[in-house]
Amino acid sequence: MKPPVFSCCQFCGASPESGKRLTKTHIWPHWINNILELHPTCDVISIDRSNPKNPTIQEKKRHQDIFTIQPRMTCKSCNEGWMNDIEQNVLNYLKPIISNNWPASLSPEQASNLSLWLALICMNAELASPLSNTITQNDRDHLRKTGTLPSRGWSIIIGKNEGVFWRKRKGYHNYPSLDSGIHRGLSQSKNHISYDKQITTFGIGSLFAQVVNGRDLSFSDYHSFHAKRLGFGVIFPSQRNSPLLTEHLPVLTDEQINFLNSQEPWFSKIY
Ligand SMILES: [Zn+2]
């Protein structure tokens, strides 16, 4: 599968000047591959519920090189401007976290910046391999214009990953579920079937993170509510004015991460 071809920036909508192309966009910063023992892989499980009596489950690989491909999907100004800022803002503490040298605490600003970095990866990964789309243009506009996520519809949590399997290999695992309507794609991107919520689980070295987003607002609310109860660091929506103390974060095994990443959302099992 080839990455999609876009004629205009998928964030601001700008077209490149005549004779020029959109800029190459990293889905996943290259430096991560130098820190991790094995390059992350990713896979996707889509649940097609168009026939409610007979939902079908499809396991697909997102583009196999999603962590190295650089599809042309953003303009220079977005790519080298606010998108680069989001990455630069997390570098000095994210690299130690991935290498299991956690700082004792994350300031509210650091926690917030980390949540934006994770959300942006979800946005770019989805655009680069649009098997199914959940994130709306409104959400991308909001991030670009305000440097924040919409106040509802996103829940982003972190913990510590000690699972060998997840730490070494499983970078990104995405469950879109429950289709609804058609994706409002920009430019010539096809109207892919859209899903109204998704769960993306990250194991990046020693960082466990999970991003839940979608138009079903109670879904993301439940996620952050139960995650907080279990002691996860809820980095979005912002929970605190005081630092997030990392020594209290749950330390997760492979088995626990597999549970958190199971097809049936874990937080729907503990209502
Ligand atoms: Zn742009």
Side-chain angles (χ1 to χ4, degrees), residues 218-258:
S218 59
F219 193 68
S220 47
D221 286 350
Y222 278 130
H223 181 252
S224 45
F225 174 79
H226 287 293
K228 192 178 175 188
R229 230 168 38 97
L230 294 176
F232 285 97
V234 179
I235 56 174
F236 191 89
S238 176
Q239 300 293 302
R240 50 179 63 77
N241 295 317
S242 51
L244 189 164
L245 302 178
T246 61
E247 66 173 317
H248 300 307
L249 290 175
V251 180
L252 302 163
T253 63
D254 283 331
E255 211 170 32
Q256 288 169 316
I257 297 180
N258 287 341

Side-chain angles (χ1 to χ4, degrees), residues 29-136:
H30 187 66
W31 55 262
I32 286 187
N33 290 337
N34 298 332
I35 294 181
L36 299 176
E37 283 178 59
L38 296 168
H39 292 193
T41 61
C42 74
D43 47 45
V44 171
I45 293 183
S46 290
I47 309 163
D48 180 353
R49 298 180 203 262
S50 49
N51 177 357
K53 287 186 183 151
N54 184 25
T56 54
I57 296 170
Q58 287 178 296
E59 197 157 348
K60 300 175 182 176
K61 293 278 175 204
R62 281 206 188 261
H63 191 284
Q64 58 181 359
D65 297 323
I66 199 162
F67 299 104
T68 51
I69 57 166
Q70 298 172 51
R72 292 179 184 276
M73 57 190 195
T74 51
C75 71
K76 195 170 192 279
S77 154
C78 284
N79 198 3
E80 295 178 5
W82 65 270
M83 292 172 79
N84 185 51
D85 291 344
I86 286 178
E87 185 182 336
Q88 295 303 319
N89 284 343
V90 297
L91 281 185
N92 66 346
Y93 56 98
L94 180 58
K95 283 184 178 179
I97 286 174
I98 290 172
S99 309
N100 204 23
N101 294 313
W102 285 74
S105 64
L106 293 176
S107 70
E109 190 189 7
Q110 287 174 323
S112 166
N113 287 339
L114 182 55
S115 73
L116 299 181
W117 182 75
L118 290 163
L120 183 59
I121 290 178
C122 292
M123 291 180 180
N124 282 333
E126 191 184 85
L127 287 167
S129 186
L131 294 170
S132 54
N133 289 309
T134 304
I135 301 168
T136 62

Side-chain angles (χ1 to χ4, degrees), residues 22-35:
L22 291 169
T23 55
K24 292 181 173 181
T25 312
H26 279 281
I27 308 302
W28 191 255
H30 187 66
W31 55 262
I32 286 187
N33 290 337
N34 298 332
I35 294 181

Side-chain angles (χ1 to χ4, degrees), residues 159-194:
K160 292 180 180 174
N161 171 22
E162 69 164 19
V164 174
F165 182 74
W166 273 83
R167 184 182 292 193
K168 283 186 178 171
R169 304 203 309 170
K170 281 280 187 179
Y172 172 101
H173 189 112
N174 173 246
Y175 279 127
S177 58
L178 296 174
D179 57 300
S180 79
I182 298 297
H183 174 56
R184 185 166 66 89
L186 273 171
S187 74
Q188 78 243 43
S189 65
K190 293 189 184 103
N191 281 338
H192 300 281
I193 292 177
S194 183

